[in-house]
Amino acid sequence: MGILGEYPPDEMLRRLKVEVKKWEAADPSTPVQPALHYIAVTAQGAPGKDGKYRLRMPFKQIDSVLGMASRIHALVFLDVQVGFSNVEAEIPQLEKYLKMPNVHLGIDPEFSMKTGKKPGTVIGTMDAADVNFVSNYLAKLVKENHLTPKILVVHRFTRPMITNSRNIQKHPEVQIVMDMDGWGEPSLKHDSYKLYIASEPVQFTGFKLFYKNDIRKKGSHMLTPEEVLKQKPSPIYIQYQ
């Protein structure tokens, strides 16, 4: 999905290296770690056989992403859109990958359809309890397998996407990133970051950039690394789609 699937691997990795160099130039004091972010469970417009409105990607697809990442010593993030399912059912399906030291996790409340409406028709929501289940699960994996801390990316661009965020628990084994996942012109992205990320950061903050959606409006542009770094606090995790 997005830039990860639009180009052959060689071209995609070349483009990623170009972006890495931009961030190295924008902030020489912070080492840049490349990563590939793959949606391993995708929300669907149709219910599927089990009525869960989500599709689990085959492991061979995840393996192919791991192979690409190994070529440039990149991290891998596996992202989960639960649809009518839930994190308790979906996250354990990925355990064999989450035990790998270079594999981390993302969860997307936008497609957590607790109201029973189809994905894509309304913006979904998760509660702190959902995030806590995932962080507890990851913390247990880290301790049992003697791993370095796992990164947990939680996407957000409205306040209701995460309810009771003050109750999100922290663990030394898990680094939680609240990621500003909205698209649009720069002013909208700045406001969303300020209102829904900077005001409730939990631990670390992230910022997502869209090659196509950020420039839909005439006269708009995708923010440069220098512009993104002007946010307060400066995001430490950057995702491109």
Side-chain angles (χ1 to χ4, degrees):
M1 183 175 289
I3 192 69
L4 185 61
E6 288 187 13
Y7 297 96
D10 288 347
E11 176 64 10
M12 185 274 298
L13 294 175
R14 184 193 69 78
R15 289 170 178 260
L16 175 56
K17 290 179 180 179
V18 170
E19 300 294 3
V20 166
K21 290 185 180 301
K22 291 179 183 178
W23 285 94
E24 290 173 337
D27 182 11
S29 65
T30 303
V32 180
Q33 171 62 56
L36 302 182
H37 198 116
Y38 180 71
I39 304 179
V41 182
T42 60
Q44 302 289 302
K49 291 181 179 179
D50 59 3
K52 298 298 184 181
Y53 286 86
R54 60 89 180 92
L55 179 64
R56 296 169 178 165
M57 296 296 105
F59 284 173
K60 65 180 180 180
Q61 288 284 92
I62 298 175
D63 293 339
S64 70
V65 175
L66 286 168
M68 285 188 280
S70 68
R71 293 170 54 183
I72 59 169
H73 306 290
L75 302 179
V76 172
F77 287 85
L78 299 181
D79 209 279
V80 175
Q81 301 173 350
V82 298
F84 280 25
S85 186
N86 53 60
V87 290
E88 290 87 350
E90 299 305 322
I91 302 305
Q93 302 293 324
L94 300 170
E95 182 169 309
K96 77 169 187 175
Y97 293 107
L98 295 172
K99 286 181 178 179
M100 299 177 182
N102 64 319
V103 176
H104 302 272
L105 185 65
I107 53 176
D108 197 345
E110 180 182 0
F111 298 104
S112 171
M113 313 314 296
K114 295 181 183 294
T115 64
K117 295 186 178 180
K118 293 180 181 181
T121 60
V122 297
I123 297 172
T125 184
M126 285 185 180
D127 187 72
D130 298 304
V131 181
N132 289 339
F133 170 84
V134 178
S135 62
N136 287 332
Y137 188 92
L138 291 176
K140 186 172 182 287
L141 281 185
V142 168
K143 287 185 282 190
E144 290 179 348
N145 296 277
H146 309 289
L147 302 170
T148 53
K150 290 294 180 182
I151 304 168
L152 172 59
V153 176
V154 183
H155 301 294
R156 187 181 196 183
F157 57 87
T158 70
R159 182 156 282 112
M161 283 177 70
I162 299 290
T163 53
N164 301 307
S165 64
R166 303 293 181 186
N167 296 331
I168 294 176
Q169 301 166 357
K170 300 177 191 175
H171 304 279
E173 298 85 7
V174 182
Q175 299 169 345
I176 299 175
V177 176
M178 298 300 291
D179 177 43
M180 201 295 287
D181 191 24
W183 56 266
E185 62 270 22
S187 60
L188 178 60
K189 296 179 78 81
H190 288 312
D191 289 346
S192 296
Y193 185 83
K194 180 179 179 180
L195 292 172
Y196 312 126
I197 303 299
S199 64
E200 302 178 41
V202 181
Q203 196 170 13
F204 300 100
T205 64
F207 205 99
K208 191 168 179 180
L209 298 167
F210 293 79
Y211 287 110
K212 296 178 181 179
N213 287 349
D214 281 352
I215 61 172
R216 277 189 180 185
K217 186 175 181 179
K218 187 176 180 179
S220 184
H221 71 280
M222 190 178 74
L223 293 171
T224 65
E226 290 79 7
E227 289 175 314
V228 172
L229 290 171
K230 289 180 180 178
Q231 312 299 315
K232 300 298 181 184
S234 293
I236 198 68
Y237 167 87
I238 309 297
Q239 183 179 352
Y240 286 88
Q241 179 172 313

